[in-house]
């Protein structure tokens, strides 16, 4: 049975998750989430535990109540190199080597792969979960910042957390490892390993069929960004299945402009997610819209099967 059928839809239906990444990265992302929640196309989001505005993101989700759909954006990098940075919750000088000499995360996934001891990264990912739990965030799923934790050695840690928490992971099947390599920039053999891990833990992970991330630095005017989304929803997500359209919405504030070189992209994503045009496009293309909460609700009630499957995949 396909994922869309398990969600209660027809085998011929296309199902869409409209997902907001990077919530809690700064105040502008939190205010954006609040402005979108319940009144826009956005159906799911994920927040970054190492970032200073994570507590505010949690507070916003808690205030929204049962309709809030927020997962944990597992974070092992800080893409900014100046002015504003964040580092590991576990500290800047641990055997995992996830931080630079100043104690901040490395900027790129490639840096992490080259410098860090990936086998020791579980503690940091678990600490991010523990922070979310301590603040009372009702998690709906796990996903990965900058795709870093999709490296097979790191994804084994993600599988372990997914099993422990009984949560799905927002990730495609990646049945074509070459597509995975093109999107992640990881070498093909590593992508093949992670694809196998996803396949082996599919009942636990509940992978979707594909995702598309709104482009950075391109198609920033409202009409051209909507047209880009239309091409994705019409032609890339053309077959029956479950898909995710992912953006990074943020309010246009002095703070955002000061810290994020890509601020214009994030503001454009907010406008798109809030637009009647995107809602009309989704309806015109006959998508069924869900969040990750609905996928999480499909988790088996028996803990032992999922845990044993994930543990075997992770080891």
């Amino acid at each position: 049975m396909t994922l869309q059928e398990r969600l209660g839809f027809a085998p011929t239906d296309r199902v869409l998750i409209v997902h907001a990444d990077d919530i809690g990265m700064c105040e502008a992302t939190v205010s954006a989430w609040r402005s979108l929640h319940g009144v826009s196309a956005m159906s799911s989001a994920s927040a970054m535990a190492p970032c200073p505005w994570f507590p505010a993101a949690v507070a916003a989700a808690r205030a929204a109540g049962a309709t809030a759909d927020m997962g944990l954006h597992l974070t092992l990098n800080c893409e900014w190199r100046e002015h504003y940075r964040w580092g590991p919750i576990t500290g800047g000088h641990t055997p995992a080597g996830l931080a630079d000499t100043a104690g901040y995360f490395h900027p790129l996934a490639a840096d992490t792969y080259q410098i860090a001891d990936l086998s020791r990264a579980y503690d940091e990912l678990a600490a991010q979960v523990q922070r979310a739990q301590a603040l009372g965030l009702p998690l709906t799923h796990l996903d990965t910042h900058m795709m870093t934790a999709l490296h097979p050695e790191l994804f084994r840690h993600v599988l372990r957390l997914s099993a422990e928490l009984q949560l799905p992971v927002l990730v495609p099947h990646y049945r074509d490892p070459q597509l995975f390599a093109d999107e992640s920039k990881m070498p093909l053999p590593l992508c093949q390993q992670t694809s196998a891990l996803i396949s082996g833990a599919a009942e636990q992970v509940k992978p979707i069929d594909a995702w598309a991330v709104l482009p950075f630095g391109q198609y920033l005017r409202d009409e051209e960004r909507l047209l880009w989304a239309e091409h994705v929803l019409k032609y890339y997500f053309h077959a029956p299945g479950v898909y995710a359209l992912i953006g990074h919405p943020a309010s246009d504030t002095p703070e955002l402009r000061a810290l994020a070189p890509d601020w214009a992209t994030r503001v454009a994503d907010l406008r798109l997610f809030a637009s009647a045009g995107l809602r009309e496009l989704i309806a015109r293309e006959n998508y069924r819209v869900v969040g990750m909460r609905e996928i999480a609700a499909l988790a088996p009630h028996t803990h032992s099967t999922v845990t044993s499957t994930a543990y075997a995949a992770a080891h």
Side-chain angles (χ1 to χ4, degrees), residues 82-303:
E82 298 180 352
H83 307 308
Y84 176 66
R85 303 176 71 188
W86 53 83
I89 292 174
T90 49
H93 304 287
T94 68
L98 294 168
D100 63 14
T101 55
Y104 297 110
F105 281 125
H106 305 295
L108 300 175
D111 301 323
T112 300
Y113 300 159
Q114 181 177 1
I115 299 169
D117 183 347
L118 304 186
S119 68
R120 299 189 177 202
Y122 173 81
D123 287 349
E124 171 59 29
L125 298 176
Q128 294 180 23
V129 170
Q130 290 160 8
R131 174 171 287 180
Q133 292 173 327
L135 293 173
L137 179 60
L139 293 171
T140 59
H141 67 285
L142 304 174
D143 60 39
T144 63
H145 183 53
M146 298 173 64
M147 300 178 71
T148 302
L150 296 185
H151 185 290
E153 196 160 355
L154 294 171
F155 195 68
R156 291 183 175 92
H157 302 319
V158 177
L159 284 177
R160 179 178 169 186
L161 288 171
S162 168
E164 291 169 350
L165 300 167
Q166 294 286 276
L167 288 176
V169 181
L170 178 55
V171 67
H173 282 282
Y174 278 128
R175 296 184 180 94
D176 178 3
Q178 185 58 60
L179 173 63
F180 188 6
D182 293 342
E183 292 185 353
S184 68
K185 310 307 178 187
M186 280 196 305
L188 181 59
L190 296 178
C191 293
Q192 291 170 328
Q193 291 179 47
T194 301
S195 294
L197 289 171
I198 295 170
S199 177
E203 174 55 33
Q204 170 190 324
V205 172
K206 295 175 178 57
I208 63 173
D209 291 282
W211 59 20
V213 179
L214 287 159
F216 281 79
Q218 304 177 71
Y219 312 110
L220 297 179
R221 292 188 298 135
D222 291 355
E223 60 272 21
E224 60 187 9
R225 206 156 189 81
L226 181 60
L227 182 60
W228 187 94
E230 182 176 2
H231 286 177
V232 168
L233 268 58
K234 275 188 172 182
Y235 304 118
Y236 184 44
F237 299 165
H238 63 89
V242 180
Y243 303 99
L245 179 67
I246 299 174
H248 299 78
S251 303
D252 189 356
T253 66
E255 172 214 37
L256 182 73
R257 291 190 180 214
L259 67 89
D262 58 10
W263 65 266
T265 292
R266 295 171 185 270
V267 172
D269 284 353
L270 173 59
R271 293 198 305 267
L272 177 67
F273 276 21
S275 70
L278 180 58
R279 295 193 298 275
E280 291 164 1
L281 168 62
I282 291 168
R284 191 165 61 247
E285 288 296 312
N286 296 312
Y287 277 95
R288 314 298 188 182
V289 178
V290 301
M292 288 301 294
R293 180 178 300 282
E294 290 89 335
I295 295 177
L298 300 176
H301 295 294
T302 53
H303 178 78

Side-chain angles (χ1 to χ4, degrees), residues 60-101:
R62 285 168 57 87
T67 58
D69 188 320
M70 191 172 287
L72 193 62
H73 202 44
L74 295 169
T75 301
L76 293 173
N77 291 102
C78 176
E79 57 268 47
W80 314 133
R81 299 170 189 263
E82 298 180 352
H83 307 308
Y84 176 66
R85 303 176 71 188
W86 53 83
I89 292 174
T90 49
H93 304 287
T94 68
L98 294 168
D100 63 14
T101 55

